[in-house]
Amino acid sequence: MLRIHAAELMVVRLPLKFRFETSFGVQTEKIVPLLVLHGDGVQGLSEGTMEFAPMYREETIAGGLHLLREVFLPRILGRTFANPEALEDALGSFRGNRMARAMVEMAAWDLWARMLNVPLGTLLGGRKDSVEVGVSLGIQADEAATVDVVRRHVEQGYRRIKLKIKPGWDVQPVRAVREAFPDIRLTVDANSAYTLADTGRLRALDAFGLTYIEQPLAWDDLVDHATLQGRLATPLCLDESVASAADARKGLALDAGRVINVKVARVGGHAEARRVHDIAQAFGAPVWCGGMLESGVGRAHNIHLSTLPGFTLPGDTSSASRYWETDVVNEPLEAHDGLMPVPTGPGIGVTLNREFVESIAEVQEEFHP
């Protein structure tokens, strides 16, 4: 049984090692909420992917922390659950706020796996001891800089290059990269920056042999994505538009996309992420694990999820050292020749670097029944 005795909530601010520009804007740091659940001498870890402002989805860090303190944690502390999926009975009645709920659910999965002394991926049904990884590259100063940063990461062995694009920065950099690297697996990500009025611009990307175009249209619109997919040869990949297995089913049934980016926190946790994976398999659609610039805690969760058999495209779980001078976990998460080893040991296989985390924590709170 899964008994949750207490919880800790911490928030740290990590400076990025590089300037990361997308259609949303420029990011130079990451605010990282961390949750620790305590049960029977074991700790389960999770990370929140909400942002300071509601740019990617509608959730924010401030709103998520409030819900954790006042609503979600009081409903689970001191209680015993048959397994992590049983937490849905306590939290499933609340609308939206899937990223905040995922913090509780994902920490419970880690806690459960550590209690059973098995890797999280094994509990989820994973079959791999390493996963293919790609890299997500932000908007650069010009085409030459774009080709240069792609070259560096191709030389490091990454098995997919993803370029961030936006209106006015799309065909030119993609053409430059494809001419320089005719054989690499190349994708683009628009983060909802386009509309159907840009169909001609997006259709021009068909010429470059992309594996997919990720989330070109509005985050909450499957219908326009279906219209656009009918006009393009390149598959569309749904990201922001899929917050549940039901969304994945509808998107694939409408042919709004032919690839799914699974972000475990976006869909509310591992149980729902596995259901999204299963729906995609039923439709014959590949999935891959997206990233939200996670620290080592969230990255380890993503790696374990990626061991499921339907994750057939390289994900965003690139080396942690690309992002941080010092990570929040003790164990290095480093890819080699485009493969990320699955952390060994029980649960997510990493431990919190408490000395470092507590030295920089902007929030540090304990909760008891």
Side-chain angles (χ1 to χ4, degrees):
M1 302 296 283
L2 178 63
R3 181 167 174 80
I4 302 173
H5 298 287
E8 296 175 79
L9 184 61
M10 293 170 277
V11 179
V12 300
R13 191 183 301 262
L14 298 177
L16 282 165
K17 293 172 71 172
F18 54 86
R19 179 182 182 274
F20 190 62
E21 181 176 349
T22 72
S23 62
F24 294 137
V26 177
Q27 191 167 355
T28 58
E29 64 178 10
K30 181 71 188 296
I31 302 173
V32 182
L34 297 167
L35 178 65
V36 183
L37 294 183
H38 295 260
D40 296 334
V42 182
Q43 299 177 7
L45 309 176
S46 70
E47 173 176 341
T49 61
M50 308 84 72
E51 297 179 306
F52 176 77
M55 302 293 290
Y56 171 77
R57 288 281 305 192
E58 69 281 8
E59 292 185 66
T60 65
I61 292 172
L65 295 181
H66 169 76
L67 287 172
L68 286 165
R69 293 175 178 126
E70 305 297 331
V71 181
F72 297 158
L73 291 178
R75 285 179 173 259
I76 67 162
L77 292 176
R79 294 188 55 187
T80 300
F81 300 89
N83 52 53
E85 291 183 87
L87 268 72
E88 190 169 340
D89 294 336
L91 305 179
S93 62
F94 299 106
R95 295 184 180 181
N97 297 285
R98 292 177 180 271
M99 292 179 177
R101 280 190 286 158
M103 286 186 70
V104 179
E105 195 258 20
M106 293 167 70
W109 272 102
D110 185 34
L111 182 64
W112 182 240
R114 292 178 195 259
M115 285 179 171
L116 297 177
N117 199 35
V118 297
L120 174 60
T122 299
L123 283 187
L124 295 174
R127 304 176 182 175
K128 308 168 189 173
D129 56 15
S130 64
V131 297
E132 281 195 303
V133 295
V135 67
S136 178
L137 302 177
I139 294 169
Q140 305 297 311
D142 53 36
E143 293 169 34
T146 302
V147 171
D148 183 59
V149 73
V150 169
R151 178 175 290 107
R152 294 202 306 270
H153 288 88
V154 168
E155 290 172 352
Q156 291 170 27
Y158 285 105
R159 301 192 178 191
R160 179 222 62 197
I161 299 294
K162 180 169 76 173
L163 302 177
K164 294 288 187 176
I165 61 171
K166 63 180 180 179
W169 182 258
D170 39 42
V171 176
Q172 306 95 309
V174 174
R175 177 185 290 115
V177 169
R178 182 51 86 198
E179 288 177 352
F181 304 96
D183 300 321
I184 64 169
R185 181 180 279 157
L186 184 62
T187 73
V188 296
D189 183 8
N191 291 117
S192 302
Y194 295 84
T195 71
L196 285 177
D198 300 303
T199 297
R201 195 81 181 166
L202 294 167
R203 187 184 289 132
L205 296 174
D206 279 341
F208 304 117
L210 302 178
T211 306
Y212 52 78
I213 299 171
E214 187 176 352
Q215 196 67 39
L217 307 180
W219 66 278
D220 58 352
D221 194 335
L222 291 174
V223 174
D224 279 359
H225 276 96
T227 299
L228 179 63
Q229 182 67 90
R231 299 173 180 175
L232 301 181
T234 306
L236 297 183
C237 172
L238 297 175
D239 177 358
E240 289 96 315
S241 293
V242 176
S244 66
D247 289 341
R249 176 183 58 79
K250 293 170 186 176
L252 292 169
L254 288 170
D255 196 28
R258 296 169 185 171
V259 180
I260 301 291
N261 170 350
V262 181
K263 289 180 178 170
V264 59
R266 189 192 67 229
V267 301
H270 284 296
E272 191 71 5
R274 189 168 56 185
R275 287 190 281 267
V276 172
H277 162 275
D278 294 348
I279 288 287
Q281 280 200 308
F283 277 88
V287 301
W288 57 278
C289 186
M292 292 287 288
L293 302 179
E294 287 95 342
S295 75
V297 172
R299 193 173 305 274
H301 274 280
N302 290 345
I303 295 167
H304 280 275
L305 178 68
S306 300
T307 63
L308 271 65
F311 285 83
T312 56
L313 295 176
D316 281 342
T317 50
S318 55
S319 295
S321 62
R322 288 190 61 239
Y323 301 94
W324 325 115
E325 290 291 349
T326 304
D327 203 348
V328 302
V329 298
N330 294 303
E331 296 76 10
L333 298 175
E334 298 296 308
H336 304 281
D337 193 27
L339 289 174
M340 174 67 76
V342 178
T344 57
I348 58 174
V350 298
T351 55
L352 198 63
N353 184 344
R354 279 193 170 271
E355 182 178 358
F356 172 65
V357 169
E358 291 177 2
S359 72
I360 63 170
E362 298 180 1
V363 172
Q364 190 169 359
E365 303 172 7
E366 295 184 5
F367 302 86
H368 301 274

